Amino acid sequence: MRHVTAAIYISFGFLFYFLQGFDGFIGPDFMEWIIFLFIFVGVMYLFIDLRNFIKKKVQ
């Protein structure tokens, strides 16, 4: 289930990233941090899910 959560976080991160390219889009000053945090949290969820999957396979 974490991989679904990770996909949502990563997709929102890239959505915010691509929104910056549109004319007339005014985001907050710290938009780069928001994008970084969304993508980072998504990657961490994927990492944790993969680690748990490997642990279950080994046992």
Side-chain angles (χ1 to χ4, degrees):
M1 194 65 182
R2 282 193 181 123
H3 61 280
V4 175
T5 307
I8 291 170
Y9 274 111
I10 291 172
S11 65
F12 270 103
F14 279 108
L15 172 71
F16 293 145
Y17 175 73
F18 290 131
L19 275 176
Q20 285 184 329
F22 286 110
D23 290 335
F25 176 74
I26 300 172
D29 294 336
F30 51 91
M31 191 68 167
E32 291 83 20
W33 281 105
I34 294 172
I35 294 167
F36 171 75
L37 286 176
F38 268 93
I39 293 175
F40 181 74
V41 169
V43 169
M44 290 307 297
Y45 267 110
L46 281 178
F47 177 75
I48 291 169
D49 192 36
L50 182 63
R51 187 180 66 180
N52 288 340
F53 177 74
I54 293 171
K55 280 185 180 179
K56 285 181 184 179
K57 284 286 191 180
V58 170
Q59 293 177 353

